[in-house]
Amino acid sequence: MLAIRTSSRRLGVALAALAVGGFVLAGCAGGSADTDAAPTAAASAAPSSSAPSTSEPGESAAVVPQGEPATVAADLAAPWSVAAVGDAVLVSERDTGDIREIFGDTTRVIGTVPGVVFGGEGGLLGIAADGDDGLFVSSTGPDGNRVQRFDVSGTPGALALGDAETLLDGIPSARTHNGGRIAIGPDGMLYVTTGDASVPDLAQDRDSLAGKILRMTPEGAVPDDNPFPGSLVYSYGHRNPQGIAWAEDGTLFASEFGQNTWDELNIITPGANYGWPVVEGQGGGADVVDPVQQWSTAEASPSGIAVIEGTVFIANLRGERVRAVPVADPSTATEYYVGELGRIRDVVAAPDGDLWILTSNTDGRGSGPRDGDDRLLTVAVG
């Protein structure tokens, strides 16, 4: 049965930093360690009067899942990220280094990323399509975490992974806190999340690539309009961000694992400090940006996020649920599939407008695999 819960948090000071230079962007500051027809409601509560469900003129209305997810592919091994390349779907598997293609009823390996160093939360992580013939890949290598581009050749159902071009390497890595989400922004730039590599002070060191959201050209160069001249650092003070996605107005949202107390949803502005390790959650003061929403670590561990029309969808690992956050009021949330699918690693806006959900029950965490795990699922939203 579809489980729905609602919650509301104080919006905090971050909304005051939404607009920067005419381009609106957003992000994250906390989150727990990665350890641990109309839908039928199992449990629900009406939004409070301070959380209106209507959108302002010109804003996309919030959308929600419609019914139960359907399985697209089953028996995946510790999948981490999903990308659509043409009419095919590609999935990265953290602990094998394999890129799998899902096309129709078939699932096959199109190639294995070479030189991946496995262990803990490291391995093959985020992927993002570069048109119909390329793939950006984040992984742990011999010299730290890295960003690479691969050519993708062939036709859907028979794709092949080409050779690697390394765009960036030497990002600090560890058994935990590797970040690893990668995405192309509406400005055409490549954004990469990095964790603090279990050395918290690196998050505040702007000379380090750890504990940051990085912004680069698709060729790996520093964009001229980055906030710190000559630096890939776009925002800092992050512990372990694993989700980034943009709303239609350009607002960049990001999810982040906190330590013991608060997981976070943030709005990222260029050059901003999100507080870690000085602060976890809201209440950081004037020098840092507070999250727009926070959750206890037992209820969240937020990983991948996606924006569809006026809703931010958030995958939760330890919390075992999908959260839906209205872009128009990001201090509120509604929860779906609580405990039904197990750990959820990623959510993705599918090309047809549906929501893809990627489970994470075979990665050695939580209560272990369920029948058919791990799975890529799809559900309509509206």
Side-chain angles (χ1 to χ4, degrees):
M1 179 177 290
L2 179 63
I4 306 175
R5 302 176 186 173
T6 60
S7 64
S8 177
R9 302 284 188 205
R10 175 174 58 87
L11 186 57
V13 300
L15 288 182
L18 275 173
V20 176
F23 187 60
V24 185
L25 292 152
C28 61
S32 65
D34 178 12
T35 53
D36 350 355
T40 302
S44 64
S48 69
S49 59
S50 62
S53 60
T54 57
S55 299
E56 295 295 327
E59 294 178 341
S60 296
V63 294
V64 299
Q66 303 293 307
E68 296 295 322
T71 297
V72 176
D75 299 315
L76 303 172
W80 210 92
S81 187
V82 184
V85 176
D87 293 329
V89 180
L90 300 183
V91 176
S92 64
E93 293 186 336
R94 187 190 69 186
D95 297 340
T96 66
D98 290 342
I99 302 288
R100 287 191 174 271
E101 177 187 17
I102 300 168
F103 183 69
D105 295 330
T106 63
T107 302
R108 53 183 291 274
V109 175
I110 70 166
T112 302
V113 175
V116 176
V117 175
F118 304 103
E121 297 169 11
L124 176 56
L125 304 173
I127 58 176
D130 183 19
D132 291 343
D133 60 359
L135 192 68
F136 293 108
V137 175
S138 174
S139 67
T140 307
D143 299 316
N145 292 316
R146 60 192 178 175
V147 178
Q148 297 175 300
R149 186 194 181 278
F150 292 79
D151 287 330
V152 177
S153 60
T155 57
L159 296 180
L161 194 69
D163 294 332
E165 174 189 2
T166 299
L167 306 181
L168 177 67
D169 59 10
I171 303 170
S173 63
R175 286 188 61 83
T176 58
H177 308 179
N178 290 292
R181 196 66 61 186
I182 189 168
I184 299 291
D187 55 0
M189 297 297 163
L190 186 62
Y191 291 74
V192 181
T193 71
T194 71
D196 67 9
S198 297
V199 183
D201 287 346
L202 292 179
Q204 289 294 319
D205 181 358
R206 295 210 307 261
D207 291 329
S208 171
L209 296 178
K212 310 295 190 296
I213 293 177
L214 308 178
R215 179 177 182 257
M216 66 187 75
T217 70
E219 296 75 33
V222 177
D224 292 338
D225 58 348
N226 265 13
F228 305 111
S231 174
L232 294 172
V233 173
Y234 193 70
S235 63
Y236 65 105
H238 300 290
R239 183 175 181 270
N240 190 20
Q242 284 191 10
I244 48 175
W246 290 262
E248 290 183 0
D249 64 0
T251 301
L252 173 57
F253 288 89
S255 61
E256 187 171 328
F257 294 85
Q259 180 165 290
N260 299 315
T261 308
W262 296 117
D263 291 335
E264 299 180 6
L265 177 67
N266 288 278
I267 288 176
I268 299 301
T269 57
N273 180 1
Y274 288 82
W276 178 255
V278 179
V279 63
E280 177 184 358
Q282 296 172 345
D287 294 334
V288 301
V289 178
D290 274 356
V292 294
Q293 191 166 171
Q294 63 185 24
W295 307 277
S296 71
T297 56
E299 297 177 336
S301 295
S303 191
I305 68 174
V307 180
I308 301 179
E309 296 186 25
T311 301
V312 183
F313 293 98
I314 306 171
N316 291 271
L317 290 159
R318 187 178 175 191
E320 297 189 353
R321 67 199 71 186
V322 172
R323 277 192 172 87
V325 174
V327 171
D329 185 2
S331 66
T332 65
T334 305
E335 299 173 357
Y336 297 86
Y337 316 120
V338 180
E340 294 183 19
L341 307 175
R343 292 160 51 83
I344 301 175
R345 173 66 68 181
D346 200 9
V347 286
V348 179
D352 62 2
D354 288 352
L355 179 70
W356 286 336
I357 300 171
L358 188 67
T359 68
S360 186
N361 297 312
T362 60
D363 64 351
R365 303 287 178 86
S367 59
R370 304 178 181 205
D371 184 39
D373 278 339
D374 270 314
R375 295 179 291 159
L376 176 65
L377 305 112
T378 186
V379 64
V381 297

